[in-house]
Amino acid sequence: MTLDVETVRHYAKLANLAFSDAELGTLATQLGSVLQHVEKISELDLGTVLPTAQVHQAYAELRKDRIAPSLGSELALSNAPDKESYHFLVPKVIKVKSP
Amino acid sequence: MTQPYPSFSNLLADLADGSKTSEHLVQECLDAIGARDPQLGAFLEVWPEEALAQARSIDIKRREGKALGPLAGVPIALKDNIHLSGKRTTCASKMLASFSAPFDATVVKHLKNAGAILLGKTNLDEFAMGSSTEHSAFQLTRNPHDPSRVPGGSSGGSAAAVAADMAPLSLGSSTGGSIRQPAAFCGVVGMKPTYGRVSRYGLVAFGSSLDQIGPMAKDVSGAAHLLQAISGHDSADATSAKLPVPNLIEAIKTFPARPKIGLPREFFDSGLDPEIRKCMDVLLTALEHYGAELKEVSLPASAYAIPAYYLLATAEASSNLARFDGARYGFRAKNPVDIQAMYTQSRSQGFGMEVKRRIMLGTYCLSSGYYEGYYLQAQKVRTQLIQEYQAAFAQVDVLLSPTTPYVAFPIGSKTNDPMDMYLSDIFTVTANLVGIPAISLPCGKNSANLPIGVQLLANHFQEAQLVSMAALCESLIA
C-alpha cells in the first residue's frame, strides 16, 4: 500500500490539520507502511461474523432523567482561550456581504 | 533496585499500627523524587506541601482513633490524563499545557474517599499515544533500571515512579497495553481491569471502546488494594458495568488449588526472545510443581490483533480528538484569519507528530470507501477474537504469556518507524480488544539485568481469580 502526497493532503484537510511539504512526504511513507501492515485483516473471510462495537453490553445504559447540578458557566468557561461575559469568543463566522 | 516494602500489605500494617507515619512515608517519596527524578523525569508536577499537609492530617486522625479509608495515608501518583480538580491535566501535550481540570475524575473521588494522598502527575506519551513515553511534548522519562532505555508507555511516568520508589502506587490508563507494557519494562506490577469495571469519567478519551484506568504497584497486593478502591459502577460513565465488585484483598490471600493455565501457542512462537522464553519456562516449571495444569490453547485471530487494534484505536482517536479545535479550551493559534484557520492552525500547532499521524490514519480508515474494509472488518476481527478467547476460557482458568516480545529498548531506537513501535504491543492489545482483565508482573531479569514481565489474562470481570493467580505466580517467582 502506497499513498501519494496529494492523498495525504486531502485527508489532512478532512482532519483539520496542515502539514509542510516535507511532512506530507514523510507521512505518505509512514502511513503507507502502517496501511500495508493493517491490510492483513482483509485476508480473513468474516462474512457472517457480526461486528463488535462494545464488548460487554448490547444496549446503552441510560441514567435516570433527573435534574442535577452541572459544571456551571464560570467553570465551563475557565479554560476558554478567549471569552466575553458568558460566551466563548471565536473569529467571526458570518461573512459580511460586500455592497 | 531497593524494595523497602516487600509487600504493600506490610506497608498498610505499618501505617495502621503507627510504626510508620504517613508524613514519614510521603517525605520518603519526596526525597526519592528529589534524588532521582531530575534524571528519570517521571513526574510532570509534584505537590510536596499539599501532600505533607494531607499526610499530617491523616496521622492526627489515626492517633485520635478516627475512622480512616482503606488507603489512608498512602501516596499515589496520577497519570496526567486523569482529572484532579484545580490541577493541570496536560496529557503531555502542548494542546493542554495550561488546561486546569474543572472537576475530579471518578477514580480521584474514590481515592480521596479512601484517604489516599495525591502526590503528583506523571509523564505519558502525548494523549497516551505511544509505547515509550518518548512522545511527551514536555520531557523524556527514563527507565530506572537503565536510564539509557525507555520506561515503556504510554504510562511510562507512572511505571518509573513506582519502580524508583518515588510513589508506592500509581494510576495508569490502557488502550492497548499502556499499563502492562511499561510495568514489564520497569519491573513493577500493572493491571488493566475488565472494560467497564472502572469508571473513565474524568479520563481524557483516546479509544473509547478500549480505554480503561488501572493500578500500578510494586506487588500484586498493592495493585489489588488500589483496584479495589477505584472499581465500581458510576452513572457518569455509560460504559460502566452495574456489577458487584469482588473482594480482591481476600482473593490474594488464597492461592487457587490446581489452576488450569492456558498457554496461547501464538504467543510462544519461535520469534520470542530466548531470555524471555527462559523466564517463562522457569515460572511454568514452578507452576507445574505447585500442581497447576498447563494446556496449550490456540488463538489464531491473534495474528490480526495489531492491525485491528491500530484501525479501531486510531479511528476512535480521530473522532475523540476532533474536540480539540481551539474554541472552548486548550491551545489556540495566534491571530487566525477566520474560524477555519483557527481550527487548522490550533490543531496543527497544538498536537505533536505521533498524535497527528494517528488522527490521519483514523480519518483515512473511517473515510468513504474505506470504512467497510478497515473499520468494520476490524470490528469483526474483534468479534472473532472474543469468540476464540471465550472458547479458551471454557477450557482453562487463566491464560499466561510474556507481556512484551522484548525488554525495554534504547531511547530513540524506534521513533523513526511507527510500525516497529506499534508491534511492541503485540501481546497486550488483545486484552483491550476482547475487554478482559489482564495483569503484568515481574518475572525475573535478562542477562543485562533488565526486567521481564509475565502476563496473565482472565475472563470478563474475573479480577478476583486473576489477582489470586498473580499472587501465586509472584510467590513462585520470589
Side-chain angles (χ1 to χ4, degrees):
Chain A
M1 182 86 196
T2 51
L3 283 182
D4 60 56
V5 168
E6 282 319 305
T7 307
V8 179
R9 202 191 302 275
H10 169 68
Y11 285 97
K13 200 177 164 200
L14 292 181
N16 279 330
L17 290 170
F19 297 100
S20 70
D21 286 346
E23 286 173 332
L24 285 171
T26 310
L27 272 172
T29 312
Q30 289 176 334
L31 293 177
S33 137
V34 175
L35 287 171
Q36 196 169 9
H37 189 90
V38 299
E39 200 71 25
K40 194 178 161 68
I41 64 163
S42 59
E43 292 169 3
L44 281 174
D45 179 13
L46 298 170
T48 58
V49 176
L50 292 172
T52 295
Q54 222 277 28
V55 290
H56 72 77
Q57 54 192 28
Y59 57 92
E61 183 73 49
L62 301 176
R63 66 170 167 77
K64 292 222 165 65
D65 188 12
R66 284 203 195 108
I67 295 170
S70 61
L71 207 53
S73 31
E74 201 167 316
L75 258 186
L77 283 155
S78 63
N79 283 294
D82 202 1
K83 62 188 163 187
E84 193 177 280
S85 64
Y86 288 107
H87 307 284
F88 294 104
L89 271 192
V90 295
K92 191 176 276 183
V93 179
I94 301 162
K95 280 195 179 116
V96 181
K97 214 174 174 183
S98 45
Chain B
M1 197 97 345
T2 56
Q3 185 155 343
Y5 287 93
S7 159
F8 182 76
S9 306
N10 290 354
L11 172 62
L12 281 184
D14 286 355
L15 284 171
D17 70 15
S19 49
K20 181 160 211 149
T21 65
S22 173
E23 183 179 2
H24 186 151
L25 178 58
V26 169
Q27 192 57 56
E28 278 179 350
C29 294
L30 293 172
D31 291 346
I33 293 169
R36 301 205 64 191
D37 211 42
Q39 182 199 25
L40 298 177
F43 282 88
L44 290 174
E45 205 173 339
V46 183
W47 313 300
E49 296 312 317
E50 287 159 87
L52 283 168
Q54 237 184 310
R56 285 185 205 111
S57 136
I58 294 273
D59 289 336
I60 290 168
K61 278 188 191 159
R62 202 185 293 277
R63 277 198 297 275
E64 289 173 348
K66 287 188 177 151
L68 293 169
L71 293 176
V74 179
I76 296 185
L78 294 178
K79 184 176 182 180
D80 201 15
N81 59 352
I82 298 170
H83 287 340
L84 168 57
S85 182
K87 298 290 186 194
R88 290 193 307 162
T89 305
T90 69
C91 290
S93 178
K94 187 182 170 189
M95 183 59 86
L96 290 175
S98 56
F99 180 85
S100 170
F103 57 89
D104 277 337
T106 299
V107 290
V108 167
K109 274 189 202 156
H110 284 314
L111 290 178
K112 285 180 173 175
N113 290 339
I117 293 170
L118 301 163
L119 196 58
K121 288 292 197 78
T122 56
N123 199 21
L124 62 152
D125 286 295
E126 184 177 0
F127 283 99
M129 296 180 190
S131 308
S132 66
T133 315
E134 291 167 289
H135 296 304
S136 164
F138 304 130
Q139 64 195 36
L140 264 183
T141 298
R142 295 175 180 276
N143 191 311
H145 294 267
D146 177 352
S148 72
R149 290 172 187 267
V150 301
S154 65
S155 312
S158 289
V162 170
D165 296 320
M166 299 189 283
L169 300 176
S170 64
L171 282 185
S173 66
S174 169
T175 305
S178 281
I179 295 175
R180 285 159 289 154
Q181 187 256 27
F185 279 11
C186 289
V188 301
V189 174
M191 183 166 173
K192 182 204 89 76
T194 308
Y195 185 80
R197 177 62 89 194
V198 176
S199 166
R200 291 105 46 91
Y201 181 68
L203 168 74
V204 178
F206 161 13
S208 301
S209 77
L210 303 155
D211 297 340
Q212 266 291 288
I213 297 173
M216 306 185 87
K218 263 285 168 64
D219 60 13
V220 174
S221 166
H225 278 84
L226 182 48
L227 181 57
Q228 188 81 58
I230 61 171
S231 295
H233 177 255
D234 177 16
S235 56
D237 176 356
T239 64
S240 159
K242 264 188 184 155
L243 287 171
V245 179
N247 189 330
L248 305 177
I249 293 144
E250 280 306 308
I252 55 172
K253 292 178 186 161
T254 324
F255 295 156
R258 295 197 59 78
K260 285 187 199 157
I261 301 172
L263 307 174
R265 187 182 305 144
E266 293 76 10
F267 291 11
F268 284 91
D269 70 6
S270 53
L272 188 61
D273 176 319
E275 292 199 276
I276 293 180
R277 169 100 225 184
K278 201 175 142 204
C279 271
M280 297 300 119
D281 287 343
V282 170
L283 172 61
L284 291 174
T285 306
L287 280 165
E288 267 190 313
H289 285 154
Y290 170 83
E293 188 188 322
L294 306 182
K295 192 175 165 58
E296 192 181 83
V297 296
S298 183
L299 305 164
S302 302
Y304 303 93
I306 285 272
Y309 170 76
Y310 277 94
L311 287 166
L312 295 170
T314 58
E316 294 180 13
S318 72
S319 168
N320 272 323
L321 270 60
R323 74 190 66 179
F324 297 102
D325 56 9
R328 293 150 299 149
Y329 45 76
F331 176 81
R332 182 185 291 185
K334 281 202 170 68
N335 308 320
V337 291
D338 56 20
I339 198 151
Q340 183 56 45
M342 182 189 83
Y343 296 150
T344 305
Q345 290 168 14
S346 300
R347 289 166 63 77
S348 302
Q349 295 167 28
F351 289 136
M353 205 54 201
E354 177 61 20
V355 171
K356 289 191 252 193
R357 213 163 15 235
R358 295 200 192 197
I359 292 173
M360 288 290 289
L361 188 61
T363 307
Y364 183 83
C365 72
L366 282 179
S367 65
S368 163
Y370 295 103
Y371 171 80
E372 285 195 1
Y374 287 131
Y375 191 73
L376 201 67
Q377 177 77 352
Q379 285 189 316
K380 289 181 176 181
V381 171
R382 196 169 188 182
T383 309
Q384 183 79 12
L385 278 165
I386 292 171
Q387 286 167 357
E388 288 178 8
Y389 272 72
Q390 292 308 325
F393 286 125
Q395 302 173 58
V396 298
D397 303 320
V398 293
L399 296 169
L400 183 151
S401 81
T403 309
T404 55
Y406 34 68
V407 295
F409 46 84
I411 289 169
S413 63
K414 292 190 191 290
T415 36
N416 289 331
D417 184 353
M419 202 57 235
D420 191 24
M421 183 79 90
Y422 297 172
L423 287 170
S424 72
D425 300 330
I426 194 155
F427 299 144
T428 52
V429 290
T430 44
N432 293 75
L433 288 168
V434 177
I436 53 176
I439 189 167
S440 174
L441 61 148
C443 185
K445 288 181 174 173
N446 74 358
S447 50
N449 218 25
L450 293 166
I452 289 169
V454 60
Q455 174 179 236
L456 297 165
L457 309 101
N459 211 344
H460 292 113
F461 299 106
Q462 298 304 314
E463 277 87 358
Q465 191 181 35
L466 186 63
V467 292
S468 166
M469 194 60 218
L472 167 64
C473 290
E474 188 176 54
S475 76
L476 295 173
I477 292 160

PDB file of all heavy atoms in Angstrom, chain B residues 142-143 146-150 409-412:
ATOM      1  N   ARG B 142      12.972   8.277  31.731  1.00  0.00           N
ATOM      2  CA  ARG B 142      13.984   7.227  31.562  1.00  0.00           C
ATOM      3  C   ARG B 142      13.661   6.022  32.430  1.00  0.00           C
ATOM      4  O   ARG B 142      13.010   6.151  33.462  1.00  0.00           O
ATOM      5  CB  ARG B 142      15.365   7.780  31.928  1.00  0.00           C
ATOM      6  CG  ARG B 142      15.801   8.875  30.978  1.00  0.00           C
ATOM      7  CD  ARG B 142      17.102   9.534  31.389  1.00  0.00           C
ATOM      8  NE  ARG B 142      17.444  10.577  30.431  1.00  0.00           N
ATOM      9  CZ  ARG B 142      18.076  10.348  29.280  1.00  0.00           C
ATOM     10  NH1 ARG B 142      18.469   9.121  28.969  1.00  0.00           N
ATOM     11  NH2 ARG B 142      18.329  11.334  28.460  1.00  0.00           N
ATOM     12  N   ASN B 143      14.137   4.859  32.006  1.00  0.00           N
ATOM     13  CA  ASN B 143      13.876   3.630  32.754  1.00  0.00           C
ATOM     14  C   ASN B 143      14.780   3.579  33.983  1.00  0.00           C
ATOM     15  O   ASN B 143      15.998   3.672  33.850  1.00  0.00           O
ATOM     16  CB  ASN B 143      14.141   2.420  31.845  1.00  0.00           C
ATOM     17  CG  ASN B 143      13.645   1.131  32.444  1.00  0.00           C
ATOM     18  OD1 ASN B 143      13.921   0.831  33.615  1.00  0.00           O
ATOM     19  ND2 ASN B 143      12.916   0.359  31.675  1.00  0.00           N
ATOM     20  N   ASP B 146      17.792   1.260  33.736  1.00  0.00           N
ATOM     21  CA  ASP B 146      18.847   1.660  32.800  1.00  0.00           C
ATOM     22  C   ASP B 146      18.400   2.955  32.129  1.00  0.00           C
ATOM     23  O   ASP B 146      17.598   2.924  31.186  1.00  0.00           O
ATOM     24  CB  ASP B 146      19.068   0.551  31.751  1.00  0.00           C
ATOM     25  CG  ASP B 146      20.108   0.971  30.708  1.00  0.00           C
ATOM     26  OD1 ASP B 146      20.547   2.150  30.706  1.00  0.00           O
ATOM     27  OD2 ASP B 146      20.460   0.108  29.870  1.00  0.00           O
ATOM     28  N   PRO B 147      18.907   4.091  32.618  1.00  0.00           N
ATOM     29  CA  PRO B 147      18.425   5.392  32.123  1.00  0.00           C
ATOM     30  C   PRO B 147      18.685   5.652  30.643  1.00  0.00           C
ATOM     31  O   PRO B 147      18.179   6.631  30.103  1.00  0.00           O
ATOM     32  CB  PRO B 147      19.176   6.407  32.992  1.00  0.00           C
ATOM     33  CG  PRO B 147      19.549   5.642  34.219  1.00  0.00           C
ATOM     34  CD  PRO B 147      19.833   4.240  33.755  1.00  0.00           C
ATOM     35  N   SER B 148      19.427   4.775  29.954  1.00  0.00           N
ATOM     36  CA  SER B 148      19.575   4.977  28.510  1.00  0.00           C
ATOM     37  C   SER B 148      18.403   4.336  27.763  1.00  0.00           C
ATOM     38  O   SER B 148      18.309   4.424  26.551  1.00  0.00           O
ATOM     39  CB  SER B 148      20.900   4.377  28.027  1.00  0.00           C
ATOM     40  OG  SER B 148      20.821   2.968  28.038  1.00  0.00           O
ATOM     41  N   ARG B 149      17.518   3.681  28.506  1.00  0.00           N
ATOM     42  CA  ARG B 149      16.391   2.977  27.875  1.00  0.00           C
ATOM     43  C   ARG B 149      15.050   3.618  28.240  1.00  0.00           C
ATOM     44  O   ARG B 149      14.942   4.327  29.224  1.00  0.00           O
ATOM     45  CB  ARG B 149      16.387   1.503  28.303  1.00  0.00           C
ATOM     46  CG  ARG B 149      17.537   0.745  27.688  1.00  0.00           C
ATOM     47  CD  ARG B 149      17.668  -0.649  28.232  1.00  0.00           C
ATOM     48  NE  ARG B 149      18.887  -1.240  27.709  1.00  0.00           N
ATOM     49  CZ  ARG B 149      18.940  -1.988  26.600  1.00  0.00           C
ATOM     50  NH1 ARG B 149      17.848  -2.298  25.948  1.00  0.00           N
ATOM     51  NH2 ARG B 149      20.095  -2.459  26.177  1.00  0.00           N
ATOM     52  N   VAL B 150      14.037   3.297  27.433  1.00  0.00           N
ATOM     53  CA  VAL B 150      12.691   3.843  27.669  1.00  0.00           C
ATOM     54  C   VAL B 150      12.034   3.100  28.840  1.00  0.00           C
ATOM     55  O   VAL B 150      12.383   1.950  29.119  1.00  0.00           O
ATOM     56  CB  VAL B 150      11.793   3.728  26.416  1.00  0.00           C
ATOM     57  CG1 VAL B 150      12.412   4.460  25.241  1.00  0.00           C
ATOM     58  CG2 VAL B 150      11.511   2.268  26.067  1.00  0.00           C
ATOM     59  N   PHE B 409      13.681  -1.023  25.361  1.00  0.00           N
ATOM     60  CA  PHE B 409      14.622  -0.738  24.267  1.00  0.00           C
ATOM     61  C   PHE B 409      15.302   0.623  24.469  1.00  0.00           C
ATOM     62  O   PHE B 409      14.801   1.462  25.222  1.00  0.00           O
ATOM     63  CB  PHE B 409      13.925  -0.835  22.912  1.00  0.00           C
ATOM     64  CG  PHE B 409      12.581  -0.140  22.814  1.00  0.00           C
ATOM     65  CD1 PHE B 409      12.498   1.215  22.530  1.00  0.00           C
ATOM     66  CD2 PHE B 409      11.393  -0.860  23.014  1.00  0.00           C
ATOM     67  CE1 PHE B 409      11.264   1.847  22.441  1.00  0.00           C
ATOM     68  CE2 PHE B 409      10.151  -0.224  22.937  1.00  0.00           C
ATOM     69  CZ  PHE B 409      10.093   1.132  22.650  1.00  0.00           C
ATOM     70  N   PRO B 410      16.449   0.846  23.812  1.00  0.00           N
ATOM     71  CA  PRO B 410      17.157   2.117  23.986  1.00  0.00           C
ATOM     72  C   PRO B 410      16.333   3.310  23.490  1.00  0.00           C
ATOM     73  O   PRO B 410      15.595   3.190  22.499  1.00  0.00           O
ATOM     74  CB  PRO B 410      18.425   1.947  23.140  1.00  0.00           C
ATOM     75  CG  PRO B 410      18.595   0.472  22.992  1.00  0.00           C
ATOM     76  CD  PRO B 410      17.216  -0.098  22.981  1.00  0.00           C
ATOM     77  N   ILE B 411      16.463   4.424  24.184  1.00  0.00           N
ATOM     78  CA  ILE B 411      15.768   5.649  23.794  1.00  0.00           C
ATOM     79  C   ILE B 411      16.153   6.002  22.350  1.00  0.00           C
ATOM     80  O   ILE B 411      17.323   5.937  21.982  1.00  0.00           O
ATOM     81  CB  ILE B 411      16.147   6.797  24.773  1.00  0.00           C
ATOM     82  CG1 ILE B 411      15.500   6.532  26.135  1.00  0.00           C
ATOM     83  CG2 ILE B 411      15.734   8.163  24.232  1.00  0.00           C
ATOM     84  CD1 ILE B 411      15.987   7.417  27.261  1.00  0.00           C
ATOM     85  N   GLY B 412      15.163   6.341  21.546  1.00  0.00           N
ATOM     86  CA  GLY B 412      15.420   6.761  20.161  1.00  0.00           C
ATOM     87  C   GLY B 412      15.497   5.628  19.156  1.00  0.00           C
ATOM     88  O   GLY B 412      15.530   5.877  17.950  1.00  0.00           O
TER      89      GLY B 412
END
